[in-house]
Amino acid sequence: MGLTDRMLIGAIANNPAAFEGTGEYRCCRACETIYFTSAKKPDATHDSHDWFALPSLNPDNSKVLERAFQRFIKRWTPERQDQLELFASRKGWDMAMELKYGGGALEESEVAEWQEIINGRLDQLLRQAREQLQNSAPAVSAEE
């Protein structure tokens, strides 16, 4: 069947990218499969295959999305920025980025703007994953 963009985007968006911690999504070039593995629960099925770790939209403990969101809201009024910062101080930036009807701080129009940013980044990471999928890694010998 092959890996669809939707499959790759789902794994990239949800990839904690922390093998030693939560785990990470990897892609096996040989099997054209996405799988999850971690140091605590390793999936050795593809260890001898040509695989690579998928990129991540928001790696664990990196606060990449949080910092991006804080830069993003600078385009809004100072009053709205203050409201979001106050909300984030109480409930966290991860909730501040969510729609208010789901417990977050954003109005529908604000979510739509933020989603454009997220989708743009996901497209970049998808292209990166597709390039990695096409470019097979050189074989590593047992002596190296």
Side-chain angles (χ1 to χ4, degrees):
M1 173 177 120
L3 295 171
T4 66
D5 286 355
R6 189 175 192 145
M7 293 164 70
L8 287 166
I9 286 173
I12 291 167
N14 294 297
N15 191 4
F19 179 75
E20 295 298 326
T22 310
E24 69 183 5
Y25 279 101
R26 293 179 177 175
C27 183
C28 177
R29 289 181 186 95
C31 303
E32 287 195 27
T33 301
I34 296 170
Y35 63 101
F36 191 81
T37 189
S38 69
K40 291 178 187 169
K41 286 185 145 186
D43 179 348
T45 309
H46 304 277
D47 281 357
S48 64
H49 298 175
D50 184 10
W51 61 267
F52 64 96
L54 284 169
S56 176
L57 178 64
N58 194 30
D60 271 4
N61 302 316
S62 70
K63 301 193 184 291
V64 169
L65 278 184
E66 181 179 311
R67 288 190 309 273
F69 184 71
Q70 290 168 343
R71 285 189 308 271
F72 170 73
I73 66 172
K74 296 296 181 200
R75 64 178 73 184
W76 295 341
T77 65
E79 294 81 23
R80 184 62 177 136
Q81 291 174 45
D82 290 344
Q83 290 170 348
L84 290 168
E85 288 173 8
L86 179 61
F87 183 96
S89 71
R90 293 180 181 157
K91 295 191 177 182
W93 282 104
D94 56 331
M95 286 304 297
M97 293 183 253
E98 297 294 327
L99 183 62
K100 72 177 186 176
Y101 302 116
L106 298 182
E107 301 293 333
E108 287 183 35
S109 62
E110 295 169 335
V111 168
E113 285 183 58
W114 178 234
Q115 192 63 48
E116 284 183 43
I117 302 297
I118 297 296
N119 288 342
R121 182 64 179 142
L122 281 170
D123 286 344
Q124 290 174 339
L125 295 171
L126 173 62
R127 285 192 302 275
Q128 180 183 330
R130 284 281 178 206
E131 287 173 14
Q132 287 180 288
L133 188 58
Q134 299 305 316
N135 299 322
S136 181
V140 178
S141 69
E143 291 122 28
E144 290 183 49

